[in-house]
């Protein structure tokens, strides 16, 4: 059975559906199979930064109902780079050594970090600096990590966006409107193109493909000429204005976030075609709630595989889904390979083949 280990697990970056399912799988494997101890670190690396470190002992009894629960019981954050950590007095400090000290204080033999590219880059830097035994699990609704076919959270986000399109379809048809759905995804259009195809959109706009309003309006006219008085448009949040300007806003805390391209398109399409338009911004509904069966499955397989990597002493690795199985890849490779929507890939070809307008 091998020697006893105490391992940590943390969730980092934006939450998404399936994080709790990963935690459950890790505990089932580590405690259930190997008889190890699992400490859940609270609030990403901030739990290790605190003195004393903030954690919860994760035993099998605490895993009931976690498979289907949204969010993360450990808490997470997508702000506060520990290498340039904003302190309450306004100064910025390198807190990396505090995190490494937290890992040592808890007596961890290894740590599992669940995150997207940004979080995994930070965790790897910490691991190299402190000689920490790190294993990574990919999660991001944006699905932009190049070295894995699935990242936890993406499938649920696509399901939610598809369901929204299914619902908008009826109102679009009933009111003869152009309905615009703005979805997340950061700089990649994976959610938009996947949900757009699955949800029968007439126009899909993604950051990877430049568009013109004239092309979008032509699609609307063509449909009208075929007796179809409504259209469904899905747009990724990072699509720019026709002039190439990003559409974003800054909140009271000074945080700059993508959003607003749906309203921009609505006004432009109304001006150009005279169509009555409405906008739905799906926002964080894409991240919360019950994970889809595929996300539960991926989370379960990744959790078990990550613990097995630790049992085998294989560190600095990320579990990855490739060719119908879970493999592991060096974290360095995983974070180096960004994946945008492939312009010659199956989804773009499928959309074009179905007659969906991609704006170009
Ligand atoms: O990276 C995940 C993501 O949901 C993006 O799709 C989106 O742009 C961003 O996070 C939103 O971040 P926040 O939760 O900070 O508003």
């Amino acid at each position: 059975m091998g020697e006893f280990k105490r391992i940590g697990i943390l969730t980092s970056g934006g939450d998404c559906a399936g994080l709790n399912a990963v935690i459950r799988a890790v505990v089932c494997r580590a405690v259930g199979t190997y008889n190890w101890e699992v400490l859940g670190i609270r609030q990403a690396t901030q739990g290790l930064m605190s003195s004393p470190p903030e954690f919860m002992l994760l035993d099998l009894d605490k895993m009931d109902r976690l498979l289907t629960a949204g969010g993360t019981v450990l808490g997470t954050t997508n702000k506060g780079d520990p290498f340039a950590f904003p302190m309450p007095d306004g100064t910025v400090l390198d807190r990396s050594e505090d995190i490494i000290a937290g890992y040592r204080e808890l007596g961890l033999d290894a740590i599992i970090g669940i995150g997207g590219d940004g979080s995994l880059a930070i965790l790897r830097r910490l691991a190299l600096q402190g000689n920490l035994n790190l294993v990574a699990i990919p999660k991001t609704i944006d699905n932009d990590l190049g070295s894995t076919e699935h990242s936890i959270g993406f499938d649920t986000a696509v399901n939610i966006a598809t369901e929204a399109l299914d619902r908008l379809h009826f109102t679009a048809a009933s009111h003869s409107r152009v309905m615009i759905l703005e979805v997340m995804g950061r700089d990649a259009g994976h959610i938009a193109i996947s949900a757009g195809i699955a949800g029968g959109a007439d126009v899909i706009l993604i950051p990877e493909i430049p568009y013109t309003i004239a092309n979008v309006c032509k699609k609307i006219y063509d449909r009208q000429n075929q007796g179809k008085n409504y259209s469904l448009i899905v747009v990724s949040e990072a699509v720019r204005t026709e002039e190439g300007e990003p559409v974003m806003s800054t909140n009271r805390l000074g945080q700059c976030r993508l959003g607003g391209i749906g309203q921009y398109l609505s006004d432009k399409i109304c001006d150009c075609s005279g169509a009555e338009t409405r906008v739905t911004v799906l926002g964080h509904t894409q991240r919360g709630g019950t994970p889809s069966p595929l996300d539960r499955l991926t989370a379960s397989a990744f959790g078990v595989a990550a613990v097995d990597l630790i049992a085998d002493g294989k560190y600095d690795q990320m579990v990855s889904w490739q060719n119908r199985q879970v493999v592991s890849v060096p974290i360095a490779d995983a974070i180096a390979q960004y994946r945008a929507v492939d312009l010659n890939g199956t989804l773009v070809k499928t959309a074009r083949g179905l007659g969906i307008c991609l704006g170009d």
Side-chain angles (χ1 to χ4, degrees):
M1 187 56 53
E3 65 189 38
F4 171 80
K5 288 187 195 303
R6 175 180 294 147
I7 66 171
I9 179 168
L10 60 79
T11 47
S12 184
D15 79 328
C16 65
L19 294 177
N20 283 323
V22 181
I23 295 167
R24 170 183 175 270
V26 164
V27 173
C28 286
R29 187 63 164 166
V31 179
T33 309
Y34 294 112
N35 251 321
W36 297 348
E37 207 168 73
V38 182
L39 306 188
I41 311 299
R42 293 191 188 276
Q43 226 55 40
T45 49
Q46 290 184 24
L48 290 175
M49 199 186 274
S50 301
S51 182
E54 291 178 21
F55 68 96
M56 61 200 279
L57 181 65
L58 296 173
D59 51 35
L60 289 169
D61 288 347
K62 295 203 183 83
M63 297 303 109
D64 289 353
R65 293 186 294 278
L66 275 200
L67 180 62
T68 54
T72 159
V73 287
L74 300 177
T76 188
T77 177
N78 62 355
K79 53 188 195 309
D81 174 358
F83 291 93
F85 195 77
M87 301 299 286
D89 65 2
T91 56
V92 170
L93 270 190
D94 180 351
R95 303 281 314 268
S96 55
E97 284 301 324
D98 295 334
I99 293 170
I100 293 164
Y103 175 98
R104 302 249 180 272
E105 189 175 334
L106 292 179
L108 298 179
D109 295 299
I111 189 156
I112 294 176
I114 310 167
D117 56 351
S119 301
L120 296 186
I122 288 173
L123 289 172
R124 181 163 193 265
R125 197 172 154 199
L126 286 165
L128 291 181
Q129 182 176 319
N131 209 14
L132 317 182
N133 293 328
L134 173 67
V135 167
I137 298 182
K139 67 91 215 170
T140 162
I141 67 163
D142 306 336
N143 209 26
D144 53 3
L145 275 163
S147 49
T148 180
E149 285 155 22
H150 301 305
S151 285
I152 292 154
F154 173 66
D155 186 63
T156 306
V158 171
N159 283 356
I160 292 167
T162 304
E163 191 196 331
L165 284 170
D166 292 347
R167 289 172 186 272
L168 292 172
H169 207 127
F170 291 103
T171 304
S174 304
H175 285 266
S176 303
R177 284 176 180 164
V178 172
M179 302 296 272
I180 301 166
L181 179 69
E182 179 180 315
V183 298
M184 283 185 167
R186 204 154 272 170
D187 297 322
H190 297 292
I191 297 177
I193 196 156
S194 303
I197 293 171
D202 305 298
V203 179
I204 302 173
L205 300 180
I206 57 174
E208 293 87 345
I209 301 181
Y211 70 98
T212 65
I213 297 289
N215 289 341
V216 174
C217 289
K218 178 172 182 311
K219 178 69 181 178
I220 294 168
Y221 293 140
D222 288 350
R223 283 178 54 76
Q224 285 168 350
N225 291 335
Q226 293 160 5
K228 293 171 186 161
N229 251 345
Y230 69 93
S231 291
L232 275 182
I233 299 179
V234 56
V235 59
S236 296
E237 60 181 359
V239 167
R240 295 179 170 221
T241 66
E242 238 186 336
E243 293 75 34
E245 294 299 320
V247 185
M248 36 206 341
S249 56
T250 305
N251 67 16
R252 291 277 197 274
L253 297 175
Q255 298 168 327
C256 196
R257 288 292 181 271
L258 292 163
I261 184 65
Q263 189 57 48
Y264 167 87
L265 289 172
S266 169
D267 295 340
K268 291 284 178 180
I269 291 168
C270 183
D271 289 348
C272 152
S273 69
E276 188 180 2
T277 52
R278 291 288 188 277
V279 184
T280 302
V281 180
L282 215 42
H284 293 81
T285 59
Q286 293 158 98
R287 297 216 314 233
T290 307
S292 68
L294 180 58
D295 271 331
R296 294 180 212 179
L297 181 70
T298 311
S300 302
F302 278 174
V304 168
V307 173
D308 287 348
L309 282 175
I310 295 175
D312 293 342
K314 292 187 182 151
Y315 300 117
D316 203 17
Q317 296 282 307
M318 184 188 85
V319 294
S320 150
W321 201 287
Q322 288 178 17
N323 301 319
R324 303 173 82 104
Q325 21 190 345
V326 179
V327 296
S328 72
V329 296
I331 300 175
D333 294 352
I335 55 186
Q337 287 171 36
Y338 176 80
R339 191 191 307 253
V341 172
D342 179 358
L343 298 185
N344 300 309
T346 298
L347 294 192
V348 169
K349 282 185 189 154
T350 302
R352 294 197 195 283
L354 291 169
I356 297 171
C357 167
L358 298 179
D360 56 347

